[in-house]
Amino acid sequence: MRVWAYACLLLCLPVHAQAGSIYKVKHPTVACGDDAAIKSLNDRTNPHQNDPQWRRTTMSQGQCYAVTPDMRWEKIANRNGLPLLRHSPPVPGMPPLYFMTADIADLSPPPASRTADAPAAPPRAAPDATTGADAATGATTPAGPAAPVPDTQEQQGPVIIARTDPPAPTDLFFMTGGFQKVGSMLLSALLIMGAGWILVVLYRAIMAFVGRRAALRQARAVVERNAGLLIQRRLHAHEGQAAHGQSPDRQWQREVSRFCRTTVIPALAHEQREHYWTDIEKKVHASIDAVSSRPAPPRPDLRLITTAEPYRPGMSCAQYVAYCMELLEKAGWDARLPGNVERAGTLISASKDSLSMVVQCWTERRPVEEAIIHQCVAAKADLSARIAVVVSAAPYTQQAIQAGKSSRVFVLHHEELQKFASQVEAPQVA
């Protein structure tokens, strides 16, 4: 680009020398296509003169060439006090160069006016070996014209001195070399970002898979723990709805939805896995259907209990406990006996969704005293139940009522048991 700029500039520069002015350098030196570069290289006050790296950089950027005295140059212009010469004859690819004035010598002949005033000096014939030999013998031989000495440049032809250092282009970001480096850096950055994004996506996929598996295992464990309750719920749904002439499947689906909403999802939320519910919902429903379809397990604890019958005065202890268990099962609770049936104060353990309840049946006719309330509180702690209830057909003493209020034990008549159990829901119990 600079060569064409210099060529265009030369068309506008005035010519201060006559055509045919031939110059040569007095000693091997350096000529540059940029006048600022040749001035910097010959500035003795420049502190970088002794720095080889600086000189190579300046010569490369200034398009400098090594010049020898056997090369001929033709002056074409002056600029900023420096002569601008071109090679004679012109060489393709070599631009005009700036020289220091003190480094060049004029080879053109002097003007004709000066040569006319000066007397012509006779040519001096240089004695050769033949003349010397004739002089020694005493014979005279006419001197012929001297043989022309061939010019060194004419023998060897034009000599082009290569650049001392190939110039580094400064346009177009070093002729796209810089853009290639920037492009490679951007490509490397994009590859690193792409690999990082793939790793992040892969990590999230693995963690989501592990989380779904853990949530499914936890949900199935909850279903297995409540297998008895689900079996009873399914039996009640089919028997109750069939008795009323309605579809039992719809009632069972409502029971399944209720169980998932009140038991499974809270258990997952406790482990912060509730956001996996939408992914495992169908599998959990399938597990609930499989568990609830099992045959009802036998109840060895109920072998001493006779068939439940309506309440009547004078019922035995086993009959009264069976009656209370039937009331709880009608309210949707899974009732069982943790121990044997005693004469008085028999415990019933009931569970519903995520709730557990202890019901102590008092079968004596004498009033319920405060000690019975304390026994129920102890049973609640032993069985890790959330609700404690004392049921009796007999009245309660005032001390027993006060003890029930202070220890949060519900004192009920057996006629209130089914209604109380039906109204208990998981959100309503703290």
Side-chain angles (χ1 to χ4, degrees):
M1 297 296 292
R2 289 190 174 185
V3 175
W4 291 104
Y6 293 147
C8 296
L9 181 63
L10 292 177
L11 298 177
C12 303
L13 295 177
V15 179
H16 299 284
Q18 296 179 358
S21 298
I22 304 301
Y23 291 83
K24 73 172 184 176
V25 294
K26 300 177 182 179
H27 50 80
T29 184
V30 176
C32 302
D34 188 1
D35 57 342
I38 191 64
K39 288 182 179 180
S40 298
L41 292 173
N42 291 273
D43 187 4
R44 302 300 179 184
T45 62
N46 192 343
H48 300 288
Q49 281 291 333
N50 298 326
D51 187 1
Q53 181 66 27
W54 175 84
R55 292 185 65 87
R56 286 195 298 269
T57 303
T58 305
M59 292 174 65
S60 175
Q61 295 179 354
Q63 292 186 337
C64 299
Y65 293 79
V67 181
T68 57
D70 57 349
M71 301 176 67
R72 299 296 179 263
W73 302 87
E74 182 180 0
K75 185 175 182 180
I76 57 177
N78 282 327
R79 182 183 181 189
N80 297 330
L82 296 178
L84 183 62
L85 310 181
R86 65 183 177 188
H87 194 274
S88 179
V91 177
M94 179 175 289
L97 302 176
Y98 287 97
F99 291 78
M100 297 301 296
T101 306
D103 293 341
I104 60 176
D106 190 1
L107 298 180
S108 59
S113 58
R114 296 182 180 179
T115 56
D117 297 338
R124 179 183 300 177
D128 53 2
T130 306
T131 306
D134 294 340
T137 56
T140 60
T141 304
V149 180
D151 192 3
T152 306
Q153 184 177 3
E154 294 179 359
Q155 288 182 351
Q156 299 180 358
V159 178
I160 301 176
I161 305 302
R163 301 174 180 175
T164 58
D165 195 9
T170 57
D171 53 327
L172 197 58
F173 201 61
F174 296 101
M175 298 300 291
T176 70
F179 287 111
Q180 291 179 355
K181 293 181 179 179
V182 173
S184 62
M185 293 174 61
L186 291 177
L187 182 60
S188 301
L190 290 176
L191 291 177
I192 293 174
M193 292 175 62
W197 180 77
I198 293 175
L199 291 178
V200 170
V201 172
L202 184 61
Y203 173 77
R204 289 182 176 179
I206 294 175
M207 293 303 296
F209 175 77
V210 173
R212 285 194 300 267
R213 293 291 299 272
L216 182 59
R217 286 196 302 267
Q218 183 182 1
R220 286 176 174 173
V222 173
V223 172
E224 288 293 338
R225 286 198 303 266
N226 295 271
L229 176 62
L230 293 172
I231 294 173
Q232 293 295 329
R233 290 275 183 89
R234 185 157 191 158
L235 291 176
H236 292 166
H238 283 72
E239 293 175 358
Q241 296 299 323
H244 292 82
Q246 299 179 3
S247 174
D249 294 336
R250 184 176 300 177
Q251 178 64 22
W252 170 239
Q253 292 300 325
R254 286 198 294 264
E255 291 291 342
V256 172
S257 300
R258 180 183 178 185
F259 175 77
C260 294
R261 184 178 65 255
T262 59
T263 304
V264 180
I265 295 179
L268 295 176
H270 183 71
E271 300 294 335
Q272 297 181 354
R273 295 170 179 165
E274 68 278 5
H275 53 280
Y276 296 116
W277 172 247
T278 56
D279 299 330
I280 65 174
E281 182 178 2
K282 293 183 179 180
K283 295 183 179 180
V284 174
H285 285 181
S287 299
I288 293 174
D289 291 337
V291 170
S292 62
S293 300
R294 297 173 185 173
R299 293 187 179 182
D301 295 334
L302 298 179
R303 63 184 181 274
L304 299 178
I305 299 178
T306 58
T307 305
E309 57 184 11
Y311 175 77
R312 58 180 176 80
M315 294 179 68
S316 64
C317 181
Q319 292 174 347
Y320 187 76
V321 172
Y323 172 72
C324 293
M325 292 180 66
E326 184 179 8
L327 295 177
L328 291 173
E329 290 181 355
K330 288 182 178 180
W333 291 78
D334 183 20
R336 61 185 179 84
L337 293 176
N340 294 327
V341 179
E342 301 177 356
R343 180 170 180 78
T346 302
L347 290 176
I348 300 175
S349 176
S351 61
K352 178 182 178 181
D353 297 338
S354 59
L355 292 179
S356 59
M357 180 170 58
V358 172
V359 180
Q360 186 168 5
C361 299
W362 179 251
T363 59
E364 296 290 337
R365 292 189 178 184
R366 58 188 177 90
V368 181
E369 298 179 353
E370 184 179 359
I372 305 302
I373 305 299
H374 294 313
Q375 292 178 8
C376 187
V377 173
K380 175 184 176 182
D382 293 339
L383 298 177
S384 300
R386 299 183 63 184
I387 307 172
V389 180
V390 176
V391 178
S392 175
Y396 294 87
T397 63
Q398 190 66 29
Q399 293 79 6
I401 296 175
Q402 294 296 332
K405 290 182 179 180
S406 61
S407 59
R408 301 192 64 178
V409 176
F410 297 92
V411 291
L412 304 175
H413 192 272
H414 60 263
E415 295 178 354
E416 302 173 338
L417 179 59
Q418 183 177 357
K419 182 178 180 181
F420 172 80
S422 300
Q423 294 177 351
V424 174
E425 296 290 343
Q428 298 177 0
V429 179

